[in-house]
C-alpha cells in the first residue's frame, strides 16, 4: 500500500554499495559523451532525428507493431497525436496516460515503445502516450496545454481508451508535465480522475535545485548546462521560473493522487525528487519513494538489471493501486 510517511534509505547514497553494473554505465556514459559533439552545437531537428534513429545516447527503441495512432482535436482545433498500447491478451482494466521525456525540446511518444508495451502487458492498462508540442517552436504553455487536453478527453471518455482505473506518469520532463496536468485538472476542471501517478526523475523546480546547480559539467545523460539550455528554450522570459504554473514544486499539491517517485542517486535531479516527494506528503497525499544507488538520469533506459528492477517496481506499484485503491 502507498505510505503516508516518507522513508529515505541512507544506503542509497553509500558509494560503497553502488551496483557495479551502474558504475560501468556511468563510466561508459562519460566516455561516450566525451566522444560526441555537444548537442547544443547542432540544429534541434538533427538531434531529434538522431534520437529517433537510436544514434543518440539512448539505445534504439524498435517500434511496437501493435501500437495504434490516434489524433485528438484539442483546444482551438489543435491536432494532438498519441500512441495507444493495448494489453496483448485483450483484457484491460483502465488506462495509463504517459508523457514522454526529452527536456520539453527532444523526444517523442514512439521512443518509449518497448517500455510502454511492457507496462501495458504487465498491468492490464491501456497506455496512451501524448505527442505534445515541443519547444522552442512551441514554448510554455503549449506542452502542458496539450497534455491537459488529452487528460480531460480521457477522463470524459472521448478517447478510444477505457476509463476504469486511470493513472498518469512520465519521466524527466514528462514527470514535470504529469504533475502540472494533475494540478490543472484539479483547479481548472474540478477533475481528479487519476488514482495513481508514476513520477520518474522529474524536474519540478525550473529555477534549479541545489543538486542541479552543484552538478557542474559532468554529463551523465544530463548536465547542469543541459538543464539550463532546456529551460531557456521552454520557458519564455515573461514567466518567473518560480511561478507554480511553471515549477510545480511551489504549487498547492493538496488533493492529488498517490504517487511513486523514483530517481537514481547519481541523477542531478535527485533533489527535485526528494523535495517534491516531501511536499507531496506534506500536502496529505500518499507517497512511495524509490532511490537507486548510483543510478544516473533515467538509467532505466539502458537495460541494466537495476533498470529492469526499477521498471518492474513501477508496474507492480500500478497493479497494487488497481487492486487496493486508496
Amino acid at each position: 500500500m502507498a505510505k503516508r510517511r516518507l522513508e529515505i534509505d541512507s544506503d542509497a547514497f553509500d558509494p560503497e554499495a553502488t551496483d557495479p553494473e551502474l558504475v560501468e554505465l556511468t563510466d561508459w556514459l562519460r566516455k561516450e559523451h566525451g566522444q560526441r559533439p555537444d548537442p547544443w552545437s547542432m540544429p534541434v531537428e538533427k538531434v531529434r532525428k538522431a534520437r529517433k534513429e537510436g544514434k543518440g545516447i539512448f539505445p534504439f527503441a524498435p517500434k511496437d507493431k501493435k501500437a495504434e495512432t490516434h489524433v485528438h482535436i484539442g483546444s482551438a482545433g489543435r491536432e494532438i497525436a498519441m500512441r495507444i498500447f493495448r494489453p496483448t491478451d485483450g483484457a484491460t482494466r483502465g488506462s495509463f496516460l504517459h508523457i514522454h521525456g526529452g527536456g520539453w525540446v527532444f523526444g517523442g511518444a514512439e521512443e518509449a515503445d518497448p517500455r510502454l508495451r511492457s507496462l501495458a502487458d504487465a498491468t492490464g492498462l491501456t497506455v496512451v502516450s501524448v505527442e505534445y508540442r515541443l519547444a522552442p517552436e512551441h514554448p510554455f504553455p503549449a506542452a502542458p496545454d496539450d497534455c491537459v487536453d488529452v487528460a480531460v478527453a480521457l477522463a470524459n471518455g472521448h478517447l478510444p481508451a477505457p476509463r476504469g482505473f486511470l493513472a498518469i506518469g512520465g519521466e524527466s520532463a514528462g514527470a514535470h508535465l504529469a504533475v502540472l496536468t494533475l494540478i490543472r485538472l484539479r483547479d481548472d476542471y474540478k477533475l481528479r480522475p487519476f488514482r495513481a501517478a508514476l513520477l520518474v526523475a522529474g524536474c519540478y523546480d525550473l529555477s534549479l535545485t541545489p543538486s542541479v546547480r552543484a552538478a557542474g559539467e559532468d554529463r551523465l545523460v544530463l548536465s547542469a548546462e543541459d538543464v539550463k539550455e532546456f529551460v531557456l528554450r521552454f520557458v519564455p522570459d515573461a514567466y518567473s521560473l518560480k511561478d507554480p504554473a511553471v515549477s510545480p514544486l511551489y504549487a498547492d499539491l493538496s488533493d492529488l493522487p498517490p504517487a511513486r517517485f523514483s530517481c537514481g542517486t547519481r541523477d542531478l535531479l535527485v533533489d527535485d525528487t526528494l523535495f517534491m516527494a516531501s511536499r507531496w506528503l506534506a500536502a496529505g497525499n500518499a507517497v512511495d519513494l524509490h532511490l537507486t544507488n548510483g543510478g544516473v538520469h533515467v538509467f532505466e533506459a539502458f537495460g541494466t538489471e537495476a533498470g529492469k528492477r526499477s521498471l518492474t517496481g513501477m508496474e507492480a506499484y500500478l497493479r497494487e493501486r488497481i487492486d487496493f485503491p486508496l
Side-chain angles (χ1 to χ4, degrees):
M1 298 292 290
K3 298 180 283 294
R4 293 187 184 274
R5 64 181 184 276
L6 195 61
E7 298 177 349
I8 300 177
D9 185 353
S10 61
D11 287 347
F13 295 92
D14 179 2
E16 299 299 322
T18 304
D19 186 329
E21 192 177 15
L22 291 181
V23 174
E24 290 181 10
L25 173 61
T26 299
D27 292 341
W28 178 82
L29 285 167
R30 283 202 180 99
K31 180 179 178 181
E32 279 295 304
H33 281 305
Q35 298 173 347
R36 293 170 179 262
D38 187 328
W40 306 111
S41 68
M42 298 182 286
V44 167
E45 283 299 333
K46 184 174 181 179
V47 179
R48 290 174 182 163
K49 184 174 183 292
R51 282 179 59 119
K52 288 184 179 181
E53 295 174 349
K55 297 176 182 177
I57 199 66
F58 295 114
F60 175 69
K63 304 295 184 295
D64 187 290
K65 295 180 180 179
K66 295 183 179 179
E68 305 167 17
T69 57
H70 178 76
V71 175
H72 172 68
I73 306 302
S75 301
R78 292 193 314 275
E79 291 187 352
I80 307 170
M82 62 199 73
R83 290 177 71 76
I84 298 177
F85 304 78
R86 304 186 190 279
T88 301
D89 64 7
T92 186
R93 310 168 77 180
S95 293
F96 177 80
L97 181 60
H98 172 256
I99 307 176
H100 69 78
W104 314 282
V105 173
F106 304 132
E110 65 184 20
E111 293 178 26
D113 275 20
R115 181 163 55 83
L116 298 184
R117 164 55 55 202
S118 175
L119 190 148
D121 290 347
T123 63
L125 296 175
T126 293
V127 178
V128 178
S129 190
V130 186
E131 202 74 80
Y132 57 85
R133 288 172 291 171
L134 299 174
E137 300 95 325
H138 304 284
F140 179 90
D145 284 351
D146 289 350
C147 295
V148 169
D149 278 354
V150 172
V152 171
L154 177 61
N156 289 330
H158 297 155
L159 295 183
R163 284 181 285 182
F165 180 92
L166 295 181
I168 188 172
E171 58 285 335
S172 195
H176 164 267
L177 293 171
V179 174
L180 290 186
T181 298
L182 289 169
I183 292 170
R184 286 182 52 180
L185 287 179
R186 181 198 65 194
D187 294 346
D188 299 345
Y189 295 88
K190 310 305 177 188
L191 291 174
R192 298 177 179 83
F194 294 103
R195 296 160 70 183
L198 286 182
L199 303 172
V200 184
C203 182
Y204 308 114
D205 181 357
L206 276 63
S207 70
L208 310 186
T209 53
S211 61
V212 176
R213 294 175 181 271
E217 298 180 359
D218 199 14
R219 178 177 280 151
L220 299 176
V221 176
L222 194 63
S223 70
E225 192 62 30
D226 291 332
V227 178
K228 294 175 186 177
E229 293 288 348
F230 282 133
V231 172
L232 180 66
R233 286 160 176 76
F234 177 54
V235 185
D237 291 342
Y239 292 89
S240 165
L241 295 181
K242 292 186 183 293
D243 184 335
V246 172
S247 293
L249 184 66
Y250 302 100
D252 172 11
L253 300 175
S254 61
D255 296 320
L256 296 180
R260 184 187 194 273
F261 290 87
S262 59
C263 193
T265 58
R266 289 298 305 274
D267 189 334
L268 78 171
L269 294 174
V270 66
D271 279 359
D272 288 73
T273 286
L274 292 172
F275 295 173
M276 183 58 97
S278 298
R279 291 218 59 235
W280 206 271
L281 179 75
N285 309 306
V287 171
D288 269 27
L289 174 64
H290 291 263
L291 300 173
T292 297
N293 188 324
V296 298
H297 188 59
V298 291
F299 65 94
E300 293 90 349
F302 295 96
T304 64
E305 290 303 313
K308 294 174 185 177
R309 289 193 296 270
S310 182
L311 293 172
T312 299
M314 297 176 204
E315 295 164 356
Y317 176 83
L318 288 178
R319 289 197 301 270
E320 189 176 8
R321 297 285 72 70
I322 296 169
D323 293 336
F324 302 101
L326 295 181

